[in-house]
Amino acid sequence: MMLNHRELRIFLAIARAGSIIGAADRVGMTQPALSRSLRRLEEALGARLFDRHSSGMTLTRFGEALERHAERIEFETARVLDEFQMLNGATAGYVRVGLVPSAVTTLLEPTIAAVSAKAPKIQVQVIEGGGDAMIAAVANGRVDFALVGNISSDFLPDMIITPVFEEEVCVAARPEHPVFKKSQLSLADLATSRWVLPEKGNAIWIGFDSLFRRNGLEPPAPSVSTNSVHILKSMVASDDYLTMMTRVIFKSEEAQGSIRPIPLTQALWRREIVMVRSHRYSLSPAQKLFLSEMSQQIQSAQQA
């Protein structure tokens, strides 16, 4: 059977609004018309797509399955329209990119500036977060592609993974931290300190865990965990916490003297940043332009 795109659009509107009333306002149709459309779709599929409650409507497991496919169709339709606009000379389109904080710091602003100079009508939506959250965003279609710290490909079976660049990761603290007063600093000293860390599961946390375990030490439990780079830097700069982060993230704080890397070679490592995108979606012209400009920014940074 062929799915009706108009009915899929109405289905998504109801799913996002959580009610027929809310969806009617979004799509500019009457409530009876939406109800009839939804009924036809459910009859055609032979399944109930929503559970009705006094407070609204929630997706059934059949509805959740259809939502994933309907969103893919919606995304691909948008890409086709973008491509036709580009072919007609209208340099417009929409790019949704997920970035780990270090990539935001180093790549985002110059890339957007370069894209805007060539195609000022392109709109860019940026989602910042840890690598695990960005991979999930790629998987569910919230972003078109993401730059993340490399994670084993076993966790990314449906993804295209392209190495992009490497960055230095280190342990950092404020200059007044007691570790800087030790004449012979060791990992054991770091293991007894208080830590504030990214949330469990991302590439930095995995590197932190591995640092201690491969040296025969139990990784210390963090006093605080957060996905906010601002909180990480603020807590480290104001109190005797250690953290692990990419050095570029605290570049300005290091220049100002408020945060310093720990002088311990064992605690330094380089992580690979990769671009992750789903093989299920083709890239639109706008997305190709964004990736092209980002690649040039990466090359320029590596040559500097």
Side-chain angles (χ1 to χ4, degrees), residues 169-172 195-198 203-209 211-212 232 236 242-246 250 266-269:
V169 182
C170 63
V171 176
W195 285 79
V196 53
L197 287 170
I204 295 292
W205 186 91
I206 292 171
F208 162 83
D209 189 75
L211 170 66
F212 289 95
L232 284 173
V236 168
L242 297 179
T243 192
M244 179 176 282
M245 65 175 78
T246 53
F250 65 95
Q266 285 176 292
L268 297 175
W269 55 286

Side-chain angles (χ1 to χ4, degrees), residues 48-280:
R48 191 178 75 256
L49 300 175
F50 291 93
D51 286 323
R52 279 74 168 173
H53 309 285
S54 58
S55 58
M57 302 168 65
T58 57
L59 291 167
T60 65
R61 61 189 181 94
F62 296 102
E64 290 173 350
L66 180 62
E67 183 183 36
R68 292 192 294 270
H69 293 288
E71 285 182 337
R72 290 172 194 165
I73 292 171
E74 182 183 57
F75 297 149
E76 288 300 325
T77 300
R79 285 178 172 85
V80 171
L81 295 175
D82 285 348
E83 186 155 2
F84 272 73
Q85 286 180 330
M86 297 285 276
L87 290 172
N88 285 325
T91 50
Y94 198 66
V95 181
R96 302 163 307 159
V97 57
L99 300 173
V100 290
S102 59
V104 172
T105 302
T106 56
L107 293 176
L108 181 60
E109 289 186 8
T111 298
I112 289 179
V115 170
S116 297
K118 293 184 177 180
K121 292 184 179 181
I122 286 180
Q123 300 177 57
V124 180
Q125 178 188 12
V126 179
I127 299 177
E128 178 184 347
D132 48 350
M134 292 303 94
I135 290 169
V138 173
N140 64 28
R142 286 183 61 219
V143 299
D144 303 303
F145 49 86
L147 291 185
V148 303
N150 197 3
I151 297 177
S152 170
S153 59
D154 293 341
F155 295 99
L156 309 172
D158 298 323
M159 304 294 177
I160 298 172
I161 305 171
T162 306
V164 179
F165 62 94
E166 289 186 345
E167 58 185 10
E168 181 181 314
V169 182
C170 63
V171 176
R174 66 174 180 165
E176 298 82 9
H177 196 289
V179 296
F180 289 110
K181 299 175 183 178
K182 292 185 176 291
S183 58
Q184 292 185 325
L185 185 64
S186 68
L187 277 178
D189 295 318
L190 303 189
T192 59
S193 296
R194 290 187 300 162
W195 285 79
V196 53
L197 287 170
E199 292 182 336
K200 184 177 181 179
N202 71 17
I204 295 292
W205 186 91
I206 292 171
F208 162 83
D209 189 75
S210 174
L211 170 66
F212 289 95
R213 293 192 186 281
R214 70 172 178 263
N215 286 282
L217 295 170
E218 183 69 20
S223 301
V224 179
S225 60
T226 176
N227 59 3
S228 167
V229 171
H230 173 75
I231 292 175
L232 284 173
K233 294 195 294 185
S234 176
M235 293 190 69
V236 168
S238 61
D239 204 344
D240 287 338
Y241 287 100
L242 297 179
T243 192
M244 179 176 282
M245 65 175 78
T246 53
R247 193 166 181 175
V248 69
I249 286 179
F250 65 95
K251 181 179 179 181
S252 59
E253 287 82 5
E254 185 176 2
Q256 295 165 6
S258 60
I259 299 178
R260 289 175 52 191
I262 298 296
L264 186 63
T265 303
Q266 285 176 292
L268 297 175
W269 55 286
R270 298 188 68 81
R271 74 162 177 173
E272 184 179 49
I273 296 295
V274 298
M275 185 187 76
V276 177
R277 68 182 182 90
S278 174
H279 67 75
R280 294 174 295 185

